[in-house]
Amino acid sequence: MPVIEGGADEYVRSAIDRARSHGCTGVIFSSEVFCEFDLDAVRRLFDSLRARADSVRIVAYIRRQDLFAESAYNMEVKWWATRVRADFDEYLTSRNTPPDYFRTLDGWASVFGRDSMIVRRYERGALENRDIRSDFCTAIGLGSEGLGPMEPDSNDSLGPRTLETMRVLNNLDVSDQVHEQIAMRLLSYDVKNRSPGAVLFDPEQRRVYLAPLEKGNRALQAFGVDPASLAIGDD
């Protein structure tokens, strides 16, 4: 949602006014881009919201950084718009520094106040009813009765064999539609055969990757996050 960072006041005013015209008493702004905001952008967003909202709550979902990297790689290999061709080691080298969740959340808390922050783990087993929609509703005190039926658990990430197959196929010049069809068939194969998840870090590489992040992850206790849930061994 880059439009918020570039023109927060206009965007927020328009969204809230439109919601109120339909009789809504609350508005939800959601974007993965929020985690990339610098403090100036956070302050601009705060000023826009403060001028129009009686109260604001920030709900953030975090995932242990190595698991997040594995999931992001899997998604970028299978998604037709990214079609990553690099192997996992090359992919890690090309990425920015792993996210420092405490630094990001502490910055938002310095603007909105720590009491406004709700931090949740983005892991299926940690979610209310194993459903992020239900979990989010619970986090903000919103009834989830209107949600549609939950879909049964499915493996929406490619397994080790199908992931490598998709990565190699990304070198072929196929249409977006064909690429998506291939990815969906590979996913169906994994679900049908209950393929294991693709583990891309070896144990030592995982330890080295997480070591610089341990201090910040422990500090997340200030936001109600159990540090043990972000330590190796709690998969």
Side-chain angles (χ1 to χ4, degrees), residues 122-199:
Y122 188 64
E123 293 290 341
R124 189 181 295 275
L127 299 174
E128 180 83 11
N129 299 323
R130 301 175 64 83
D131 183 344
I132 191 170
R133 303 170 307 161
S134 177
D135 192 86
F136 177 79
C137 288
T138 298
I140 63 173
L142 185 67
S144 58
E145 296 80 9
L147 296 176
M150 291 189 304
E151 297 180 359
D153 288 358
S154 63
N155 181 6
D156 58 0
S157 293
L158 292 169
R161 294 170 59 188
T162 51
L163 179 64
E164 179 60 13
T165 299
M166 193 75 246
R167 184 187 73 81
V168 172
L169 289 175
N170 282 344
N171 290 281
L172 301 180
D173 184 18
V174 299
S175 69
D176 296 344
Q177 182 179 6
V178 170
H179 187 278
E180 186 171 13
Q181 288 174 346
I182 293 172
M184 291 301 100
R185 290 189 179 185
L186 291 174
L187 281 169
S188 295
Y189 171 89
D190 282 333
V191 171
K192 180 179 179 180
N193 292 278
R194 299 187 178 183
S195 300
V199 177

Side-chain angles (χ1 to χ4, degrees), residues 82-104:
T82 45
R83 303 193 190 196
V84 165
R85 302 171 183 175
D87 65 26
F88 185 60
D89 288 345
E90 294 170 332
Y91 173 80
L92 282 182
T93 301
S94 68
R95 283 173 61 86
N96 295 328
T97 304
D100 184 335
Y101 296 135
F102 179 77
R103 181 177 180 181
T104 299

